[in-house]
Amino acid sequence: MIVTSGWARTALSHRICTGIQRRRLSKLIAELAEPWTAREESRLRERRGHDRQRAAGAGPDHELVFTDRVIATLVVLRFQLPHAALALFYGVDRSTITRAVHEVRPLLAARGFAIPAAPDLRLRTLADVFAYAACHGVELRIDGTEVRVRRPRANRPGRRAFVSGKMKQNTKKATVISDEKGRTLWTGALRPGRMHDQTALKTEGICDLFERFPQVKAKVDAGYRGLAKQFPDQIEAPPLKPKKDASPKEVADWQAARTQQSSERIPVEHANAEHKQWRPLQRWIGRREYYDETHLAIAGLVSDRTAMR
């Protein structure tokens, strides 16, 4: 069977394969073209040790043009497809696909997160999220998520750091922040699975941000109860369970309050579910050092879609 790159590009650029619509795909390619070109020129300049002596565009062409590099990377992010399988579609060596993924994935991870009604503005840090929430009166929803990863080899330092106390598996955790409609505003605080969700978020400096932005409010689950105690006027956690000798009315009131808080906090769970529609965030089978980039790249792509709600 003879497969041409044009046929592969037409088939793989479908929304089912890339996870995004073709009209948005063209905008994404245009957005990434300039930083990729700059990075490529910098790499070649460093390898040569001097400025280029031939005109731009001279020399051999790439086996895989930039458009195909972006499409191949999106397919890998969508389905965690083996690079050798994509190489067969494009008629290139497996290493060519691997190189393309390693070039494009960092660009996707660095894009940040889209917000509604501001296509040119993206949130990249936790401080950006708090500034945006303070300016627009957005109440945040915060939750942690974890994904299974490969177990480190025996006798390596920090091997137990990835063992999650909840899942009893080797995982990596991330914190997701959304608004009241479940639109992803930020994903970060990526830490080994043994670290508690609240501890991971505190290491990102969230306590200082709550002090700097006293008007920002958030809803969290029981795992962040310590933060809720520290900032009772800004963070709302589920109510404490009544004692065993509590009256039926107290139990009923607690159940109603817990249900109400849960229904208001549930949009961030929906945001987590949208991220996990992408295969790598269901179970990561690649190298752990590439997981952070992959998670941020996928979350940024999901935010592009959710920002249009």
Side-chain angles (χ1 to χ4, degrees):
M1 180 180 67
I2 299 176
V3 180
T4 64
S5 60
W7 179 90
R9 183 186 308 157
T10 302
L12 296 176
S13 62
H14 193 278
R15 180 178 58 84
I16 294 176
C17 299
T18 61
I20 61 178
Q21 297 176 352
R22 281 193 171 122
R23 59 182 179 81
R24 288 180 48 226
L25 175 61
S26 61
K27 294 179 180 179
L28 178 65
I29 293 172
E31 176 186 343
L32 299 180
E34 185 175 347
W36 178 83
T37 302
R39 180 173 294 189
E40 184 70 5
E41 288 296 330
S42 177
R43 182 185 67 84
L44 294 175
R45 172 66 174 80
E46 184 177 354
R47 188 177 70 178
R48 289 191 304 262
H50 55 79
D51 293 335
R52 65 184 307 150
Q53 297 178 349
R54 291 190 291 183
D61 295 330
H62 290 288
E63 285 188 286
L64 208 61
V65 298
F66 178 67
T67 297
D68 293 328
R69 290 169 186 253
V70 175
I71 293 173
T73 302
L74 291 175
V75 173
V76 170
L77 292 176
R78 181 67 170 167
F79 296 112
Q80 209 163 195
L81 199 65
H83 296 180
L86 274 177
L88 179 64
F89 278 105
Y90 281 105
V92 297
D93 189 75
R94 179 201 57 79
S95 61
T96 302
I97 299 295
T98 301
R99 190 181 309 113
V101 172
H102 284 288
E103 290 175 358
V104 177
R105 185 174 55 199
L107 300 178
L108 292 171
R111 294 176 64 237
F113 306 92
I115 57 176
D120 298 330
L121 182 63
R122 302 187 73 87
L123 308 177
R124 290 181 171 83
T125 65
L126 194 55
D128 292 344
V129 176
F130 273 73
Y132 167 75
C135 182
H136 294 83
V138 176
E139 188 178 49
L140 304 177
R141 269 67 171 169
I142 304 174
D143 192 27
T145 182
E146 51 188 331
V147 177
R148 290 178 62 185
V149 297
R150 285 182 175 181
R151 185 182 185 186
R153 291 183 179 179
N155 302 320
R156 286 200 173 184
R159 191 185 189 206
R160 296 180 59 191
F162 291 90
V163 180
S164 168
K166 178 181 179 180
M167 295 186 66
K168 309 302 181 184
Q169 299 283 345
N170 289 266
T171 67
K172 288 208 71 174
K173 289 184 176 179
T175 302
V176 178
I177 298 180
S178 76
D179 61 8
E180 64 278 0
K181 293 186 178 180
R183 295 176 288 211
T184 299
L185 300 179
W186 183 79
T187 297
L190 295 150
R191 299 292 188 273
R194 191 177 184 87
M195 183 178 290
H196 195 278
D197 294 349
Q198 182 175 252
T199 304
L201 195 53
K202 283 185 174 181
T203 59
E204 293 288 321
I206 194 169
C207 296
D208 293 337
L209 291 172
F210 272 116
E211 292 174 356
R212 287 170 50 193
F213 298 94
Q215 67 273 43
V216 175
K217 300 184 183 301
K219 285 185 168 59
V220 297
D221 63 9
Y224 299 93
R225 199 178 296 279
L227 272 176
K229 289 182 179 179
Q230 188 174 353
F231 301 96
D233 296 331
Q234 295 176 260
I235 304 177
E236 181 184 337
L240 291 173
K241 187 175 181 179
K243 297 181 179 180
K244 293 183 178 179
D245 58 350
S247 65
K249 183 179 184 305
E250 290 176 335
V251 174
D253 291 343
W254 165 77
Q255 184 67 36
R258 186 174 69 90
T259 302
Q260 178 65 26
Q261 198 272 349
S262 177
S263 65
E264 294 173 355
R265 186 186 54 82
I266 203 66
V268 71
E269 301 286 358
H270 297 160
N272 274 331
E274 287 184 290
H275 297 171
K276 293 192 175 183
Q277 291 175 2
W278 296 62
R279 181 62 181 170
L281 300 191
Q282 297 173 18
R283 181 177 181 180
W284 175 246
I285 60 176
R287 293 177 179 266
R288 289 186 307 280
E289 54 264 34
Y290 299 140
Y291 173 79
D292 293 4
E293 268 186 3
T294 301
H295 196 128
L296 293 175
I298 291 174
L301 292 169
V302 172
S303 74
D304 292 339
R305 183 178 73 248
T306 60
M308 296 187 296
R309 290 175 183 166

